Amino acid sequence: MELMTVDPRSLKDNPDKARQSKSSPQSDALLCASIRAIGVVQPPVVKLDPEGGNSYIIVFGHRRAAQAVAAELTEIPVLVADPGDDLGAMQSFAENIAREPLNPVDQWRAIERLVALGWTEESIALALALPARQLRKLRLLANILPAMLDHMARGDMPNEQQLRTIAAAGQDEQAEVWKKYKPKKQEPQVSWWEVARALTRTRMLAKHASFGDDLAQAYGITWVEDLFAPADEDSRYTTDIEAFLGAQQEWLSNNLPKRGAIIEANEYGQAKLPAKAQQVYGKPGKGDLTGWYINARDGSVQSVAYRMPEAKKPKVVKDADGVDTVVEDLEAPKARPDVTQKGLDMVGDLRTDALHEALARAPIENDTLTALLVLALTGQNVTIASGASDNPYGHAKCAPHAVRLVDEDGKLSFDRETLGQVARSVLIEVLSLRRNRSDSGMVARIAGDAIGADQFLTSMASEEFLSCLSRTALEAVAETAGVAGRVKVKDTRAAVVEHFADDRLVLPAAAIAPDAAEVLAWASRFTSATSNLEEEDDETAPVTEDEAPASDRSGADGADDFREAAE
């Protein structure tokens, strides 16, 4: 090959070039900036135009030639291939794909070598088209412990956050931590999060500092710039926590506003208000105070408004001689409750055990059992999504109905007619077949079948409902009713509505009563649970008269039987 200098504008593109897709504008801008700064480092390879003339066709280096034109270079070096060289498609493909970018560690070391050769940071950044801040960041990473760099160069790299933490620590600290966490033969991978955690140091940011440079110098605070932080914010920090907090405290003492007081903060950074003080969350009033404190987590000065309760006016009493005497109201000490909270918890457990035992073993009449079931649905531990309300997110309100079963003495007392009315009202609150969160499912359909609810379905022969049917379903309804079909669907709907004007239409698929197969499929899911309950019922079966002890049968009324069984 022959090296020569040509005008990049005279070079022709190769129609069979390997890189057909356009490169990104960012990569083109980077290459153009590099060529403008240091020229074309690797000359493109060209060959004579086979159609004749003195022009050349680019074999390799189309982007370099194009960006040289964009950089307004008049001459660039090129390598002219011999006519006999077979620069085929495989060479073109390999020349574009077999380029491996520099390892990040090698990039850091290369920058250090350039600095050692006399290059300035500004000149390196200009030549590589890199921001100066990015270059300083790479130089900081190059100061990582050499043993760590050697391991990173093998491909085991920490993430960016971990790199930031490691690079911010001194090499003495890095060497101590690396000695503990360096890879072993059986574990070649490094746990970088443990390395970063061991090197993490608490920082106080300059943007949280209320004091100025004078106090910073007085306390010996030296700011360090975090090169990994966003460039548009103050990223300076210090690890001298005591000096930072001391400077903040002195500034706060010298700049305390009127009606302001210095208060303490807890370990979570929240203010500790004075005794009996109430925090003001809205706009502070004229009589409110302001508490100033230092957040121990980030060292920032924060404030909170609060108000103190009004002082009670002294009580003045006149004696027989007309002399005023101030009488102080002394708050009576709070008496200890008869039963502690733990004792109330124990009472609740004992009550529950007794209630469950009575429900399992005591004789209960059917009407009373129905009333107890109604009461159970009104318990404060029961939440039922109801379909009786217009609000789809409403809950059943059974208590207003259940109170009809309780008399003036607070006892369960009712007649059968009242019990029936209350049971109906509660069932209305509970059972639902709406297509929302209140849907009761199969149990509501079984209940509806038992009471003949299908007879109460209103006619579905309306434009609003029939418009929800497909053409096939609508024509099936019309055929079953003996209505001749129409060409247009809307005409068929109108004919069906007219046919059922004095009759009732119920779509078979909309019937409440379920098929036997559906019910059996639903019941089969609970067969195993039912068998387990039957085994338990054998152990907790109600006590009958024949099984009860002789002392239990001495009384004739059911109250004695209930009392003895409960005992």
Side-chain angles (χ1 to χ4, degrees), residues 400-482:
H401 308 296
V403 295
R404 299 175 58 186
L405 304 178
V406 180
D407 60 14
E408 298 178 354
D409 298 330
K411 302 294 184 181
L412 192 64
S413 178
F414 54 86
D415 54 47
R416 176 161 291 189
E417 182 179 358
T418 303
L419 177 61
Q421 295 173 358
V422 171
R424 286 173 181 266
S425 301
V426 171
L427 289 173
I428 291 173
E429 290 282 348
V430 174
L431 295 179
S432 169
L433 286 170
R434 302 187 191 279
R435 281 176 50 86
N436 54 28
R437 61 190 290 271
S438 68
D439 188 4
S440 303
M442 182 59 65
V443 293
R445 297 186 65 186
I446 296 174
D449 183 26
I451 59 179
D454 281 329
Q455 300 300 321
F456 295 86
L457 282 173
T458 58
S459 178
M460 301 177 183
S462 64
E463 282 283 348
E464 182 179 8
F465 177 78
L466 294 179
S467 63
C468 300
L469 301 182
S470 65
R471 184 187 187 99
T472 304
L474 180 62
E475 291 177 350
V477 171
E479 182 180 358
T480 303

Side-chain angles (χ1 to χ4, degrees), residues 351-369:
R351 284 177 170 177
T352 302
D353 293 342
L355 175 62
H356 290 177
E357 185 71 15
L359 289 172
R361 299 176 60 83
I364 306 175
E365 296 181 357
N366 291 336
D367 289 350
T368 303
L369 195 61

Side-chain angles (χ1 to χ4, degrees), residues 6 71 87 132 139 144 148 151 201 204 305 326 340 410 429 434 440 483 520 527 554 565:
V6 299
L87 302 176
R139 291 203 65 191
I144 292 178
M148 288 189 186
H151 185 79
R201 298 292 180 267
M204 292 297 173
V326 178
T340 62
E429 290 282 348
R434 302 187 191 279
S440 303
V483 178
L520 293 177
T527 301
S554 59

